[in-house]
Amino acid sequence: DAKTTQPTSMDCAEGRAANLPCNHSTISGNEYVYWYRQIHSQGPQYIIHGLKNNETNEMASLIITEDRKSSTLILPHATLRDTAVYYCIVRVPLPTQGGSEKLVFGKGTKLTVNP
Amino acid sequence: DSGVTQTPKHLITATGQRVTLRCSPRSGDLSVYWYQQSLDQGLQFLIQYYNGEERAKGNILERFSAQQFPDLHSELNLSSLELGDSALYFCASSVGPKTDTQYFGPGTRLTVL
């Protein structure tokens, strides 16, 4: 029941920017978009999140379209250590549980950074 | 290092057995989440506790149970284990009750033989 769609895989050259797209056309007005990544079998790592405005932190930039139906995660200078599965996530309500929500991790995008 | 710790790292057991996985959240975090990741199912949310109380329930089997203790560490109990329960089990923590930004532990790899 993931509410996002992402390409299955992408490749990027080391040192270049990696641009990972995500569609979330059913997102509601107050829902944040979250990005996590998982390197091999390690625990997922939080990257960034945003609501409407573009966001930047030390790891990445997040560009959200004006209609909020899609977003792009940008790794400005990809390194080999950025090879991972990247998950674009929105919260999914649990309507029978008093307003609780959960994060639904879809299949994500397998990003391979090549030397 | 996320600040979330999980023990043990690896666990090998037999079908029908019971195991307990332990998680300590980041300092200051009141919510603990449990996830299961198997090869064919991806990362599945199991259950969330907030400040000792169950907050949200996902795809958790009746054979599985969890609790969060007064010191905020959490345990996930898996009983009557089946081969299909072999998976990575991750714990995550966050400050508040409403999902927020979650920080994941390194996981426990469970193998059921």
Side-chain angles (χ1 to χ4, degrees):
Chain A
D1 53 343
K3 294 172 65 175
T4 63
T5 54
Q6 300 176 252
T8 302
S9 63
M10 293 183 64
D11 284 283
C12 177
E14 188 177 20
R16 296 292 189 122
N19 297 287
L20 292 90
C22 177
N23 287 321
H24 32 79
S25 57
T26 60
I27 195 171
S28 62
N30 62 350
E31 283 187 293
Y32 283 81
V33 178
Y34 289 82
W35 284 83
Y36 286 76
R37 73 180 181 183
Q38 187 174 25
I39 297 172
H40 194 45
S41 294
Q42 298 177 22
Q45 178 188 24
Y46 165 78
I47 302 173
I48 198 167
H49 72 283
L51 183 63
K52 294 182 187 177
N53 301 318
N54 299 338
E55 301 287 344
T56 296
N57 63 20
E58 66 278 4
M59 288 183 68
S61 295
L62 175 61
I63 309 296
I64 303 174
T65 57
E66 195 167 340
D67 63 7
R68 301 208 334 111
K69 292 185 177 181
S70 66
S71 61
T72 300
L73 178 75
I74 301 172
L75 307 178
H77 306 286
T79 71
L80 299 179
R81 287 181 295 180
D82 292 322
T83 292
V85 177
Y86 287 77
Y87 298 98
C88 168
I89 300 159
V90 295
R91 292 181 293 192
V92 173
L94 295 163
T96 61
Q97 299 188 38
S100 301
E101 299 168 317
K102 63 176 180 178
L103 295 182
V104 176
F105 287 76
K107 299 289 188 184
T109 296
K110 168 71 173 167
L111 174 69
T112 302
V113 180
N114 300 304
Chain B
D1 183 0
S2 67
V4 178
T5 60
Q6 290 187 248
T7 56
K9 283 188 179 178
H10 303 276
L11 200 48
I12 301 175
T13 188
T15 55
Q17 294 298 305
R18 172 190 169 93
V19 297
T20 297
L21 312 183
R22 183 188 170 105
C23 168
S24 292
R26 291 188 325 155
S27 177
D29 284 359
L30 298 180
S31 272
V32 169
Y33 310 78
W34 287 97
Y35 292 83
Q36 179 192 56
Q37 186 173 37
S38 55
L39 281 175
D40 57 344
Q41 289 291 325
L43 202 65
Q44 299 283 319
F45 166 71
L46 295 178
I47 197 164
Q48 176 199 356
Y49 277 80
Y50 173 70
N51 205 20
E53 300 289 326
E54 183 183 303
R55 166 78 183 175
K57 197 177 260 193
N59 303 321
I60 189 166
L61 299 172
E62 285 192 13
R63 300 183 285 109
F64 296 180
S65 65
Q67 54 185 328
Q68 187 179 27
F69 294 87
D71 67 353
L72 301 176
H73 90 271
S74 178
E75 293 180 355
L76 179 67
N77 300 296
L78 315 175
S79 62
S80 303
L81 285 167
E82 302 174 359
L83 295 177
D85 297 326
S86 295
L88 276 166
Y89 290 84
F90 291 105
C91 161
S93 72
S94 70
V95 173
K98 294 272 282 184
T99 307
D100 296 313
T101 298
Q102 296 182 23
Y103 295 89
F104 283 76
T108 292
R109 182 175 292 279
L110 173 67
T111 302
V112 182
L113 301 175

